[in-house]
Amino acid sequence: MSHLTPPRQLPDTDADDDGSPDPDVPAADEAEQDPEPGAREPAAQDTRGGWFGWRRRFPRTARGVWVGTTVLAAVLVFVVLLVPNRLDQLTVQSFLRLPVEAIVLAAVLPVLPSRARRITAAVLGVFVGLTAVLKCLDMGFRETLARPFDLVFDWVLLADAADFLKDSLGRTGEVLAVIGVILATVALLVLSALAMTRLANVLARHRPLALRTTLVLGVVWILCFTLGVQSGGGLTLATKGYTQYLSNRVQYVRDGLGDAEVFEKQLAVDAYAKTPSDQLLTGLRGKDVMFTFIESYGRVAIDDPKMGPKIDATLREGDARLKAAGFSARSGWLKSPVTGAGSWLAHSTFLSGLWVKNQQRYRTLTTSDRPTLTSYFQKTGAWRTVGIVPGVRKAWPEGDYFGLDHIYDSEHLGYQGPYFSWSPVPDQFSLEAFQRLEHGKKDRDPIMAEIILASSHNPWSPIPRMLDWDELGDGSVFDGIEKEGTDPTQVWKKPERVRTEYRRAIEYSVQSLTEWVERYGTDDTVLVFLGDHQPVPTVTGGDTNKDVPITIVARDPKVLERVEGWNWTPGLKPADDAPEWGMDRFRDRFLEAYGPKGPQGPKGR
């Protein structure tokens, strides 16, 4: 009888709880034994040990790979659980913590039946991956809008972000960026699911040790949480931050869903809705009134120690030119509902007298019959109402809501020059086009104009420069200026350079506007200009202040007499202690000040 060697058994710890071996664990290398009569040929064995038999041929390497991937899986899960949702909190200390969620998962997953465990782990892995994606969105939104991503209202803004990439980086850059984001998202979800499944199987194979270790870690977590033990940087060692994050996001969604009903009630309240047209804006009859928004013109431009002095010089120079031309000005502060971006929300807040803080409110407002400041001008029949909106490059159905008789977008201003990154038309040209198309016409009715100046829009590179007004022509003169300008991809590598370019853009916009008034303003000109929101946190340094400056300019002293009760600062620069109003308060205060009751106006809060 032939002597047969008993087959070697796999270790018990390498088997799943259902008795099947784990394919991820390298099997013993049978090729290391002397072959016995009747044993399989090595080539036949290789086809059964991993990819092309490499696990059997290289057992130590296979074991190293197995251990390494398991460690990486644990690191991935811990990182996703611990990573904060804001870049300014992304430190080494934030990852040197013990999340209670990991302890709970380590206690629950090993005791589940094999099939249930694998399914549960995969689903939880995808969910954890999705929260990681959400945290990344929060980081991006905090860097641009100084707030987290809104799961209810902000999806539409992703399309706007893609358009911004196209305008800043070109069509190719946009496509590559979008593809990269999609691939990274899919990869993160897949890796999270695989990592959670691997860890669950490892815990199940070593169930007694896993449960004992989990019990010890649970006790340690409770003690550290109770005693407030810190891991460094003021962070507690024992954390339930992931659970708290999910709880906050759920509450954020609930608040968003309930906000619609709140806004509907506010929408119905309008102190001037029943005012006869002949009693509206009587103090401005015969005047040309311009409401002009300067993109991203925020308080930081005036208050920042590095930017402030040069902005101050620009404002003082503009104020001197206007005084020489017979104009006077008063300035104050408004608090915008947004920061970093979302200009249309600020514009609609200013004009409607309602706090339009999200896209749902904007859609509700622009599909309602709520009168705006501009539509009240239209209602009187005493003004031709026009819009100069160079930033609009596609259909803008909301334009009809704002009560504008005619809208000039980027395609109808006669501009034949280059884009300056996102901005389709330089501010100086937009204002000259307004003069040519409307303001400079003879025998016309008084004009009320909403003008949006876009040259100070992010990314502030390249920036136009002032030209002789008589040389603007069709705008092709800007070709050389655009080519000589800075490259946004280079500018945005250094925050200080971003701040410098932002400051230069604001200087250009303010200078364009003040020179236009000096050149074309008349006794009947009334200019109201303001910022729509603060710039991105890269410029503000994370300051959460949402104030923007606002100024009224007029040559007729009676116009400014009507707002004396506002206590605004003389000149183009508001004082630090000038009144600060919510942007939604301006409409009604303006209507009251320039209504039939005369100059008494409510004090600023």
Side-chain angles (χ1 to χ4, degrees), residues 348-518:
S348 54
T349 295
F350 179 82
L351 296 174
S352 71
L354 294 173
W355 197 249
V356 186
K357 62 181 180 178
N358 56 48
Q359 195 65 19
Q360 175 177 272
R361 287 190 169 206
Y362 179 76
R363 288 196 299 265
T364 302
L365 174 68
T366 55
T367 55
S368 73
D369 57 1
R370 164 86 178 192
T372 63
L373 185 54
T374 45
S375 64
Y376 275 129
F377 273 90
Q378 185 185 53
K379 179 180 178 181
T380 65
W383 283 271
R384 170 172 166 79
T385 59
V386 300
I388 306 295
V389 288
V392 175
R393 285 160 288 177
K394 53 186 178 182
W396 189 42
E398 301 94 331
D400 293 338
Y401 164 74
F402 290 102
L404 300 174
D405 296 326
H406 191 80
I407 295 173
Y408 296 93
D409 59 21
S410 61
E411 299 296 322
H412 297 89
L413 293 175
Y415 182 66
Q416 300 300 318
Y419 276 31
F420 283 79
S421 192
W422 182 90
S423 179
V425 185
D427 291 347
Q428 186 184 10
F429 190 94
S430 295
L431 291 167
E432 179 65 20
F434 170 60
Q435 174 66 20
R436 170 172 42 86
L437 296 169
E438 292 287 346
H439 187 266
K441 289 183 177 180
K442 296 181 180 180
D443 301 324
R444 59 170 177 78
D445 292 332
I447 296 172
M448 193 272 352
E450 178 189 358
I451 302 175
I452 301 174
L453 300 182
S455 289
S456 53
H457 193 290
N458 183 342
W460 310 300
S461 173
I463 303 170
R465 58 179 170 82
M466 291 299 297
L467 299 173
D468 188 298
W469 291 83
D470 293 326
E471 296 178 357
L472 293 177
D474 64 359
S476 56
V477 68
F478 285 99
D479 283 332
I481 298 175
E482 190 273 336
K483 292 175 182 177
E484 294 170 359
T486 54
D487 182 349
T489 59
Q490 297 300 316
V491 168
W492 280 80
K493 290 181 179 179
K494 297 181 179 180
E496 282 305 312
R497 194 170 180 189
V498 174
R499 291 160 62 82
T500 298
E501 296 304 297
Y502 163 77
R503 185 257 304 162
R504 291 180 58 227
I506 295 298
E507 289 174 355
Y508 169 77
S509 295
V510 171
Q511 187 177 354
S512 297
L513 189 55
T514 54
E515 283 194 15
W516 185 93
V517 176
E518 179 189 23

Side-chain angles (χ1 to χ4, degrees), residues 297-321:
Y297 180 31
R299 185 163 191 157
V300 67
I302 293 175
D303 287 355
D304 183 82
K306 291 185 178 180
M307 292 186 287
K310 292 191 176 181
I311 294 293
D312 182 62
T314 299
L315 293 173
R316 282 190 284 106
E317 180 185 349
D319 197 37
R321 287 200 310 269

Side-chain angles (χ1 to χ4, degrees), residues 96-429:
L96 302 179
R97 310 172 75 189
L98 184 61
V100 69
E101 298 82 9
I103 297 174
V104 173
L105 290 174
V108 173
L109 289 176
V111 301
L112 295 176
S114 175
R115 188 177 187 84
R117 182 180 66 249
R118 294 177 188 271
I119 294 175
T120 302
V123 172
L124 287 175
V126 171
F127 180 79
V128 168
L130 286 172
T131 58
V133 173
L134 181 57
K135 287 182 178 181
C136 290
L137 287 171
D138 285 347
M139 292 179 192
F141 269 66
R142 287 187 182 278
E143 286 301 297
T144 54
L145 302 176
R147 63 170 177 80
F149 180 77
D150 192 319
L151 280 166
V152 179
F153 306 122
D154 282 346
W155 295 105
V156 66
L157 298 183
L158 298 182
D160 294 330
D163 289 340
F164 176 76
L165 288 173
K166 180 178 67 175
D167 297 329
S168 302
L169 305 177
R171 180 64 176 174
T172 301
E174 176 203 13
V175 171
L176 291 177
V178 171
I179 291 175
V181 169
I182 292 174
L183 291 177
T185 300
V186 173
L188 178 58
L189 298 182
V190 172
L191 290 174
S192 296
L194 293 175
M196 192 73 76
T197 302
R198 174 178 283 273
L199 293 177
N201 289 336
V202 170
L203 291 172
R205 283 193 298 273
H206 304 281
R207 185 179 299 153
L209 177 61
L211 294 178
R212 288 195 298 270
T213 303
T214 301
L215 179 61
V216 171
L217 290 176
V219 173
V220 170
W221 188 93
I222 293 173
L223 289 174
C224 290
F225 185 79
T226 302
L227 299 176
V229 178
Q230 296 185 350
S231 63
L235 299 174
T236 56
L237 178 63
T239 176
K240 53 179 181 177
Y242 183 78
T243 301
Q244 187 63 51
Y245 174 74
L246 295 179
S247 176
N248 291 341
R249 300 307 294 177
V250 170
Q251 186 60 47
Y252 206 65
V253 170
R254 287 178 177 174
D255 292 343
L257 294 175
D259 182 65
E261 183 177 350
V262 173
F263 189 65
E264 287 284 357
K265 293 180 180 178
Q266 297 172 351
L267 197 66
V269 179
D270 184 358
Y272 290 90
K274 296 182 180 180
T275 303
S277 60
D278 61 355
Q279 295 183 31
L280 289 169
L281 300 161
T282 54
L284 291 173
R285 298 298 172 105
K287 304 295 185 183
D288 294 320
V289 184
M290 301 163 56
F291 295 103
T292 305
F293 296 93
I294 297 179
E295 172 67 35
S296 299
Y297 180 31
R299 185 163 191 157
V300 67
I302 293 175
D303 287 355
D304 183 82
K306 291 185 178 180
M307 292 186 287
K310 292 191 176 181
I311 294 293
D312 182 62
T314 299
L315 293 173
R316 282 190 284 106
E317 180 185 349
D319 197 37
R321 287 200 310 269
L322 292 178
K323 285 183 178 178
F327 288 90
S328 298
R330 298 291 184 273
S331 298
W333 301 105
L334 298 181
K335 184 175 293 296
S336 175
V338 294
T339 185
S343 302
W344 60 96
L345 303 181
H347 300 169
S348 54
T349 295
F350 179 82
L351 296 174
S352 71
L354 294 173
W355 197 249
V356 186
K357 62 181 180 178
N358 56 48
Q359 195 65 19
Q360 175 177 272
R361 287 190 169 206
Y362 179 76
R363 288 196 299 265
T364 302
L365 174 68
T366 55
T367 55
S368 73
D369 57 1
R370 164 86 178 192
T372 63
L373 185 54
T374 45
S375 64
Y376 275 129
F377 273 90
Q378 185 185 53
K379 179 180 178 181
T380 65
W383 283 271
R384 170 172 166 79
T385 59
V386 300
I388 306 295
V389 288
V392 175
R393 285 160 288 177
K394 53 186 178 182
W396 189 42
E398 301 94 331
D400 293 338
Y401 164 74
F402 290 102
L404 300 174
D405 296 326
H406 191 80
I407 295 173
Y408 296 93
D409 59 21
S410 61
E411 299 296 322
H412 297 89
L413 293 175
Y415 182 66
Q416 300 300 318
Y419 276 31
F420 283 79
S421 192
W422 182 90
S423 179
V425 185
D427 291 347
Q428 186 184 10
F429 190 94

